[in-house]
Amino acid sequence: MVVGKNGTNQQDESVYNLIPRTQYHAPKPPRYESRFKSTVRDSSKDRTYEHRTMGYAEEPLPDPQQFLKKKQGESRAAAAAVSIPKDTIKCKDCQPRKPPIPSIHDAPKMGVRTEKNFVQTNALDTVMTVPKKPQRNIVDARHGDKYPIDPSGLTPKYVFKKDFGEVPVYIKNRRNDMEKAKQEYQTYVSDYFRRGAMREMGDDERQTIIDGLKKQWEDVHHEYQTLSVIIDTIPKRQHKERLEYEMKMLEKDIDLLEKHQVIYIAD
């Protein structure tokens, strides 16, 4: 878009506008005319419309003797209401009322009477009726909006199950499979070591070795603590690294012996 000095858009200044173009004007559609135009015109000529716009030529004046008197309007309204049949009235308050309730002295139709004691029957029904269990609801708004609490998920309904607190069947099966696999592994290891002349380390021997490793670690740690604070020479640095490596290996061996309860030794 090109903007001129006065701020006007000079969209006509384009290379494509150099070639003159032929302007096409769409033909104007014909005006709509009703097909009943002639019929309406002929019917209007035949009729005469008196006082259509200007009213009567001479308006008759009211008689001064026929002025409105006191309560004359109410009598006219009452007369008009009486003239209107009641069947045409459709208002809600004006509908005919229902027939009255029969009184206690009215005889029943066809002489039918019942011997049922409704008071005694209602009393027995009330005594024998099982009281209805109140519904468990929860109110979560200040306006009193409530909903059932049982299907809401806020109460632990699973505690009422018959098998609550029992070990599931699949866990029992898994434990049995693990125990069976462990026994098979022990049998295989025993046969393998019996053929290879290997023996199992006892608990006392394993504990003795652990105590010895811990005593050795304490000695190395004591020597590590006596090192000088300033490590300014290569021999000092190498000695420190050697002590750190020994303590790390001793910690690894102690952890290995404490972690595994069964250890086999080849004689």
Side-chain angles (χ1 to χ4, degrees), residues 135-148:
Q135 187 178 7
R136 291 162 45 87
N137 296 327
I138 182 173
V139 180
D140 62 345
R142 60 187 180 90
H143 298 291
D145 299 335
K146 63 181 180 179
Y147 56 89

Side-chain angles (χ1 to χ4, degrees), residues 210-259:
I210 292 174
D211 295 340
L213 292 175
K214 290 182 177 180
K215 182 65 172 62
Q216 187 177 357
W217 183 89
E218 292 177 357
D219 296 341
V220 177
H221 184 262
H222 178 71
E223 185 178 358
Y224 181 80
Q225 293 291 333
T226 57
L227 292 175
S228 61
V229 178
I230 301 175
I231 307 298
D232 53 353
T233 60
I234 296 177
K236 289 183 180 180
R237 187 174 71 252
Q238 292 178 352
H239 182 54
K240 179 182 177 182
E241 292 177 355
R242 182 178 59 80
L243 294 177
E244 291 177 351
Y245 177 75
E246 290 181 1
M247 288 191 298
K248 184 177 180 180
M249 295 302 297
L250 290 172
E251 291 175 357
K252 184 177 179 180
D253 295 340
I254 293 171
D255 184 42
L256 178 64
L257 292 174
E258 290 181 347
K259 184 177 180 180

Side-chain angles (χ1 to χ4, degrees), residues 5 15 24 55-56 72 74 81 91 103 148 152 155 167 202 237-238 254 262:
K5 296 182 179 180
V15 178
Y24 297 95
Y56 291 98
Q72 189 174 358
E74 297 179 2
C91 61
S103 63
S152 63
T155 55
V167 181
R237 187 174 71 252
Q238 292 178 352
I254 293 171
V262 180

Side-chain angles (χ1 to χ4, degrees), residues 67-265:
F67 58 88
L68 188 63
K69 299 179 181 180
K70 184 179 180 180
K71 296 185 179 181
Q72 189 174 358
E74 297 179 2
S75 61
R76 290 183 180 179
V82 170
S83 62
I84 300 175
K86 294 184 178 181
D87 298 339
T88 59
I89 300 175
K90 297 183 179 180
C91 61
K92 183 177 179 180
D93 298 335
C94 301
Q95 293 291 339
R97 297 183 177 180
K98 296 181 180 180
I101 301 175
S103 63
I104 192 173
H105 302 290
D106 294 342
K109 295 182 180 181
M110 304 300 293
V112 178
R113 294 184 62 88
T114 179
E115 300 295 336
K116 182 178 180 181
N117 190 349
F118 290 95
V119 177
Q120 185 178 1
T121 304
N122 294 338
L124 292 175
D125 293 342
T126 304
V127 172
M128 300 301 295
T129 302
V130 179
K132 185 178 180 181
K133 187 177 181 180
Q135 187 178 7
R136 291 162 45 87
N137 296 327
I138 182 173
V139 180
D140 62 345
R142 60 187 180 90
H143 298 291
D145 299 335
K146 63 181 180 179
Y147 56 89
I149 191 175
D150 293 333
S152 63
L154 300 177
T155 55
K157 296 182 64 176
Y158 55 86
V159 299
F160 301 107
K161 294 183 179 180
K162 296 181 180 180
D163 56 348
F164 175 74
E166 298 182 1
V167 181
V169 179
Y170 72 94
I171 294 182
K172 294 181 179 179
N173 297 335
R174 183 177 297 178
R175 288 180 179 177
N176 296 334
D177 296 340
M178 292 176 63
E179 189 68 24
K180 184 178 180 181
K182 185 177 180 181
Q183 293 178 0
E184 293 178 355
Y185 177 75
Q186 291 291 342
T187 304
Y188 168 76
V189 171
S190 301
D191 296 342
Y192 179 78
F193 288 144
R194 191 181 301 107
R195 293 194 303 264
M198 300 182 69
R199 64 181 182 84
E200 182 179 354
M201 181 184 296
D203 295 338
D204 297 339
E205 183 181 0
R206 185 173 64 86
Q207 189 63 35
T208 303
I209 296 175
I210 292 174
D211 295 340
L213 292 175
K214 290 182 177 180
K215 182 65 172 62
Q216 187 177 357
W217 183 89
E218 292 177 357
D219 296 341
V220 177
H221 184 262
H222 178 71
E223 185 178 358
Y224 181 80
Q225 293 291 333
T226 57
L227 292 175
S228 61
V229 178
I230 301 175
I231 307 298
D232 53 353
T233 60
I234 296 177
K236 289 183 180 180
R237 187 174 71 252
Q238 292 178 352
H239 182 54
K240 179 182 177 182
E241 292 177 355
R242 182 178 59 80
L243 294 177
E244 291 177 351
Y245 177 75
E246 290 181 1
M247 288 191 298
K248 184 177 180 180
M249 295 302 297
L250 290 172
E251 291 175 357
K252 184 177 179 180
D253 295 340
I254 293 171
D255 184 42
L256 178 64
L257 292 174
E258 290 181 347
K259 184 177 180 180
H260 300 282
Q261 300 294 331
V262 180
I263 299 176
Y264 296 92
I265 303 175

Side-chain angles (χ1 to χ4, degrees), residues 37-49:
K37 181 178 180 181
S38 58
T39 307
V40 173
R41 186 185 296 110
D42 297 339
S43 61
S44 61
K45 288 181 179 180
D46 298 339
R47 300 178 184 179
T48 56
Y49 300 95

